[in-house]
Amino acid sequence: MQKRILTGVKPTGAPHIGNYLGAIRPALALAKKHDSFLFIADLHALTITPKPAELKEQVYGVAATWLALGVDPKQTVFYRQSDVPEITNLAWLLSCVLPIGMLERAHSFKDAQGKNVEREDIKHGLYAYPVLMAADILAFDIDVVPVGKDQKQHLEITQEAARKFNLIYGDGCLKVPEAMIDEQVMTIPGTDGRKMSKSYGNTIELFGDDKELVKTVKKGIKTDSTEYGLPLKDEGDTVFEIYRLIADPTRIEAMRRRYQTGRKDPDGPNDPGNYFGWGDAKGALADLLLEHLGPARAEYRRLMADRGHLDQLLAEGSDRARAVAHPILERCLKAVGLRS
Ligand code: ADP
Ligand code: TRP
């Protein structure tokens, strides 16, 4: 039988190429090979009290992003966390067995304390975040949770919650999941060469309009001052790094030779008409992005223009999710003595 995997994504701002190459594309590849669950962690998003209208928009945005990039909602169970009350119900049962020491040691809580945030401003939701995350996973008898290194501690808390619960209420109540930690997650560089991140303002957005994308690539990406006609350094160059993660091997090799020779046609003449400089490299990347992402960009716009359809897909997903979570919650309610 296929292993059951689960991925949770927080609805945050406009998705960028770093999110796509570093998180979305690998998750989609895994989803194809497993019995997969994918959900929008909208309750988790509340811990930073976003503006209601923005949150609503971002939930649609993240749903449309994943669907446009290839989630198959017939195969993957794709839902919104807040549509599955079994999750929050289970979270309470877990709260009642998890020691507070574990939560006090959680990075997100410690970070908030370390930043000298007024105690009044640290919300219980942030403190309890790992409990809700444990419930996200344990409510579905998940076998494996693929996550980045930053989520390792949350997975340990999840495992601990399941073990504690089983110890008190009997083996087999909750399935202890495995973490699949990708130690060498690729870090996609942004326009300034640092990690691409919304917080650095150095992103290339996935779903901005065409003109904006071309402008960000051509004007935004910083390159060195190699003279036109001389070889370009591909190592550590944002343009080449992104190009190589998207193009097929033949095109990558052709691009590498252009970089190495500084010529459009590497075997062609030493003539300014045949020079290959940063402007050309950026033009090639912009073309590649438009070509590779074109269908997803069109699909994203189509989905965002039809909220009713998104609502319907999410409603179907939550029905499927609840059908799985309901008996698991009932099993736990019975184990603790709240059901006969
Ligand atoms: P941001 O740093 O822009 O706020 P998020 O923290 O919302 O991005 O990231 C969402 C997902 O995308 C995470 O799984 C994260 O690991 C991945 N991700 C974000 N930026 C990059 C990047 N530059 N390279 C690789 N993966 C990234
Ligand atoms: N905490 C995760 C993040 O910050 C999102 C998340 C919530 C999650 N619940 C999850 C991830 C369950 C995997 C499994 O990105």
Side-chain angles (χ1 to χ4, degrees), residues 216-231:
T216 310
V217 170
K218 290 198 171 165
K219 299 231 160 64
I221 299 182
K222 290 209 177 70
T223 45
D224 66 26
S225 51
T226 305
E227 213 175 298
Y228 199 40
L230 294 181

Side-chain angles (χ1 to χ4, degrees), residues 6-10 39 41 44 129 133 136-137 145 147 151 154:
L6 171 135
T7 302
V9 283
K10 281 197 291 190
F39 74 96
H44 282 288
Y129 186 106
M133 179 156 163
D136 291 333
I137 299 167
V145 189
V147 282
Q151 298 296 317
H154 286 150

Side-chain angles (χ1 to χ4, degrees), residues 45-181:
L46 282 181
T47 56
I48 53 165
T49 33
K51 295 210 168 63
E54 277 170 27
L55 177 59
K56 199 170 179 184
E57 202 52 26
Q58 286 179 350
V59 168
Y60 281 121
V62 74
T65 296
W66 283 76
L67 289 165
L69 291 169
V71 172
D72 173 1
K74 293 258 174 307
Q75 193 218 350
T76 295
V77 183
F78 183 51
Y79 56 99
R80 200 161 35 187
Q81 184 185 28
S82 62
D83 284 338
V84 184
E86 285 77 5
I87 297 172
T88 34
N89 198 329
L90 180 64
W92 180 252
L93 302 190
L94 300 177
S95 267
C96 295
V97 300
L98 263 178
I100 57 172
M102 285 210 92
L103 302 178
E104 279 165 357
R105 284 192 295 277
H107 300 307
S108 45
F109 178 63
K110 272 177 44 185
D111 283 357
Q113 281 187 316
K115 281 186 193 139
N116 275 334
V117 181
E118 290 287 333
R119 217 177 138 72
E120 274 295 294
D121 291 332
I122 303 181
K123 307 294 192 299
H124 177 256
L126 176 74
Y127 181 71
Y129 186 106
V131 186
L132 183 58
M133 179 156 163
D136 291 333
I137 299 167
L138 300 176
F140 297 96
D141 279 352
I142 298 298
D143 295 300
V144 184
V145 189
V147 282
K149 271 184 286 193
D150 61 327
Q151 298 296 317
K152 191 170 170 192
Q153 193 188 37
H154 286 150
L155 257 293
E156 286 163 5
I157 297 175
T158 303
Q159 292 165 333
E160 187 59 19
R163 284 196 205 99
K164 278 251 149 60
F165 195 92
N166 290 345
L167 196 67
I168 301 171
Y169 296 115
D171 269 346
C173 285
L174 290 171
K175 178 161 218 159
V176 183
E178 266 173 60
M180 184 163 117
I181 312 259

Side-chain angles (χ1 to χ4, degrees), residues 60 301-311:
Y60 281 121
R301 284 189 196 110
R302 205 182 62 72
L303 288 163
M304 284 303 269
D306 187 354
R307 306 289 163 101
H309 180 56
L310 285 175
D311 283 334

Side-chain angles (χ1 to χ4, degrees), residues 217-218 228-229 232 239 243 255 258-259 262-264 272-287:
V217 170
K218 290 198 171 165
Y228 199 40
L232 304 177
V239 180
Y243 192 92
M255 187 61 131
R258 290 190 189 116
Y259 265 69
R263 305 274 181 273
K264 287 193 184 82
N274 191 32
Y275 286 172
F276 179 83
W278 287 122
D280 304 306
K282 290 175 178 179
L285 176 63
D287 289 346

